Amino acid sequence: MEPEKTEISKSWEPRIVMFCCNWCSYAGADGAGIGRFQQPASMRIIRVMCSSRVDPVHVFSAFLEGADAVLITGCHLGDCHYINGNEKTLVKFNFMRSMLKELGLEEERLQLNWISASEGEKFAEVVRMVTEQVRQLGPSVLKPEGVA
Amino acid sequence: MSELKVAADIKVGDKLLGWAASEDVRSRGASGGLVTAVLAAALETGLVDRVLVLKKVSEFEAYPVFTSDVQEVLESAGSMHSVPVNLARYLKPETCSGKTALPAKPCDARAVVERVKRNVMSSEDTYVIGLNCGGTMHPEKVRKMLETIYRLDPEEIAGEEIVKGKLVFFTKDGKEHAVPIDDLEAEDLGRRDSCRYCQVKIPTNADLACGNWGVPGDLAEKVTFVEVMTEKGVELLRNTVSAGFAEVMQPDGKSISAREKVNKVMLGMSEKRKTEVFAPIENGKERFEYFRKELENCIHCGACKAVCPVCTCGEDSKCTAYFSLADSHKMSLFHMVRFLHLSDSCIGCGQCEDVCPAEIPLTRLYQRFAVPVQKEYRYLPGMSDRTPPFFALKLEDNEDKEGGGCTCR
């Protein structure tokens, strides 16, 4: 589906920091590449050993350095390599999201999704979906001056 | 008048009227000096090793001291509405050896509970004597209102008291000067901002909850209404009564309902103020602009964190370690981390606002984040031993909580 082109989207592409769990979504990214599922080049992937390794400071720093959105991905609930890391991610995620919302950022700018190692297609789908949502929103208010 | 109650009969849940046995203590302390008597008795009988009290310098100045000297405790007696310090901050591992008792406003008591949850101190070793609180005042503002509204010389003040919605100052020549607090607040004087929307007036989270609300008219200023909240509270009060430092008796039903009524009125006023102050800013961009503007003058001295009684990170904390002024971000990482950390733990004590050299209304900003989160999780920090929602291992542990808008379900 061709996204609707707005004034912003012609000149501007979102930059999204994506945290991928080593045991699932990072392999999912590989799967998406091998399967040749098309996806925009908006993601900047950072591999972490578990989605729960993503500290609020990482997320805030990403926004402050100019990310338009942050996407955290991890294993499906119950499948965590470290028993319950993703459960803790969920708790933290909810807190970060309500905090960023109160600060004035749109909810879609911080997202969490579970993508397993075999879900290459889902990976590409999520990347497409998040990129499109953020493209509609435009640049983040936290983006420093002079950063694209 | 009903008979005096003996020490052995005191139990959890008791609501009593009490006063200090010694004439000296009664004259020093407010409302019969019961709190002073409890502290003095605890120290004298060895129930606690030391007490944490405010050492008075003047009506507008006092500093916290740990003391084992009963004389010093007696000297600290009396209410101090113009010294809004949070004593809980001083209870830390370095200073917490042995048993400590402290008088505490509801926010001090809440801070103690939160500090216990964060393992900086032990609950068993701390005796919290709660004081009802309708609000405290910033010393600078007190001076200002004395000069502009009361037309008094601040140096001539010998004492103050809040009685029936009026702020009364006693001058050294023995005269009383009363002005309704509402009139003061209309001029943006009076109580501190955070006190005006505070949600806890009776410290039901302390060991004893003391105050003058509910005291019958003929005994006003002579006795203290005390509610025994915990086993430690029983221990404290039994100890005081059996050592002969104070006497207690059963109040009539009228007193108990009068106290409830005062509390309800106060809470109602706070609630009203709260909805006024925290009227939501609908537009996200405007919200961001509001925070950015308020924080514009921040010089990053870190004083707000240093006084924060619920911040237990110490010197090495995320908000300071990963923050650099040279980054010149749109919003400082320090504030963002503080906003997040305080969203479930801010007790709204107002210390940050008091110490801020740039006069940023920090408590208001922190509460902006805390109010919706605490409502969502139905969690009021410092009022129970429930694990803070941020520390929950699973989402389900924060009961009453839906998926929270995450896209993965």
Side-chain angles (χ1 to χ4, degrees), chain B residues 183-230:
Chain B
D183 294 1
L184 297 171
E185 281 173 5
E187 308 261 331
D188 197 31
L189 294 164
R191 292 175 296 164
R192 294 187 308 150
D193 193 46
S194 51
C195 297
R196 294 174 66 184
Y197 54 77
C198 173
Q199 298 299 298
V200 184
K201 307 288 182 188
I202 296 180
T204 50
N205 51 348
D207 296 318
L208 290 174
C210 310
N212 61 4
W213 304 349
V215 173
D218 54 329
L219 292 172
E221 295 298 299
K222 290 189 194 116
V223 302
T224 303
F225 190 112
V226 53
E227 184 174 355
V228 186
M229 303 308 304
T230 62

Side-chain angles (χ1 to χ4, degrees), chain B residues 66-341:
Chain B
F66 282 107
T67 179
S68 306
D69 179 4
V70 179
Q71 198 52 39
E72 212 158 26
V73 174
L74 296 179
E75 279 164 17
S76 75
S79 62
M80 297 212 75
H81 288 100
S82 327
V83 185
V85 65
N86 196 318
L87 291 175
R89 179 74 208 190
Y90 301 93
L91 298 167
K92 44 191 174 185
E94 304 91 278
T95 57
C96 278
S97 54
K99 299 194 172 198
T100 310
L102 72 154
K105 306 185 289 298
C107 52
D108 302 52
R110 290 174 76 183
V112 168
V113 173
E114 286 299 306
R115 290 175 80 77
V116 167
K117 282 184 201 170
R118 285 164 178 74
N119 300 326
V120 273
M121 52 189 277
S122 108
S123 160
E124 288 94 66
D125 293 343
T126 316
Y127 291 82
V128 184
I129 299 148
L131 314 168
N132 290 356
C133 175
T136 50
M137 296 167 298
H138 199 282
E140 195 198 347
K141 281 203 170 168
V142 175
R143 277 176 179 275
K144 199 174 156 196
M145 60 192 169
L146 278 170
E147 281 160 9
T148 60
I149 295 183
Y150 287 81
R151 306 238 171 253
L152 294 171
D153 179 5
E155 304 309 320
E156 286 300 304
I157 299 304
E160 41 78 22
E161 190 56 74
I162 296 177
V163 187
K164 293 202 169 89
K166 281 185 184 167
L167 177 61
V168 186
F169 282 103
F170 305 101
T171 41
K172 282 179 184 159
D173 54 13
K175 284 191 186 137
E176 277 186 28
H177 306 263
V179 171
I181 290 181
D182 287 345
D183 294 1
L184 297 171
E185 281 173 5
E187 308 261 331
D188 197 31
L189 294 164
R191 292 175 296 164
R192 294 187 308 150
D193 193 46
S194 51
C195 297
R196 294 174 66 184
Y197 54 77
C198 173
Q199 298 299 298
V200 184
K201 307 288 182 188
I202 296 180
T204 50
N205 51 348
D207 296 318
L208 290 174
C210 310
N212 61 4
W213 304 349
V215 173
D218 54 329
L219 292 172
E221 295 298 299
K222 290 189 194 116
V223 302
T224 303
F225 190 112
V226 53
E227 184 174 355
V228 186
M229 303 308 304
T230 62
E231 282 300 334
K232 272 188 294 163
V234 174
E235 207 180 324
L236 272 173
L237 204 55
R238 274 189 188 165
N239 173 62
T240 314
V241 174
S242 59
F245 275 70
E247 287 163 344
V248 291
M249 68 170 200
Q250 192 73 36
D252 53 12
K254 227 164 79 181
S255 289
I256 295 169
S257 60
R259 176 169 175 261
E260 277 308 306
K261 207 177 141 195
V262 176
N263 189 32
K264 230 175 135 184
V265 169
M266 297 288 270
L267 288 179
M269 276 166 20
S270 284
E271 193 62 52
K272 192 168 154 254
R273 174 80 185 159
K274 197 173 178 179
T275 43
E276 277 167 26
V277 173
F278 299 109
I281 306 169
E282 291 303 334
N283 184 313
K285 286 225 162 57
E286 275 172 32
R287 264 203 310 273
F288 182 74
E289 201 48 35
Y290 164 76
F291 288 114
R292 199 194 55 76
K293 222 172 168 64
E294 292 287 14
L295 294 171
E296 215 168 35
N297 293 334
C298 177
I299 56 170
H300 291 97
C301 61
C304 46
K305 176 180 169 285
V307 293
C308 183
V310 293
C311 170
T312 55
C313 304
E315 292 288 310
D316 307 312
S317 54
K318 277 178 193 162
C319 54
T320 50
Y322 301 112
F323 156 75
S324 162
L325 256 185
D327 290 339
S328 64
H329 287 137
K330 276 235 178 133
M331 176 159 283
S332 107
L333 188 65
F334 172 76
H335 291 302
M336 288 184 78
V337 174
R338 288 277 296 160
F339 287 152
L340 181 81
H341 278 189

Side-chain angles (χ1 to χ4, degrees), chain A residues 14 19 30 36 41 52 55 60 66 70 81 89 94 106 110-111 113 119-120 124 139:
Chain A
F19 291 97
D30 261 354
R36 311 249 170 136
S52 63
D55 191 278
F60 297 158
V70 173
H81 192 79
T89 311
N94 276 312
E106 294 83 354
L110 178 63
Q111 301 214 14
N113 223 307
E119 292 175 323

Side-chain angles (χ1 to χ4, degrees), chain A residues 55 77 97 101-102 112, chain B residues 287 318 329 395 405 407 409:
Chain A
D55 191 278
L77 288 176
R97 199 173 212 190
K101 192 180 156 201
E102 191 56 44
L112 173 67
Chain B
R287 264 203 310 273
K318 277 178 193 162
H329 287 137
L395 210 55
T407 50
R409 283 194 163 174

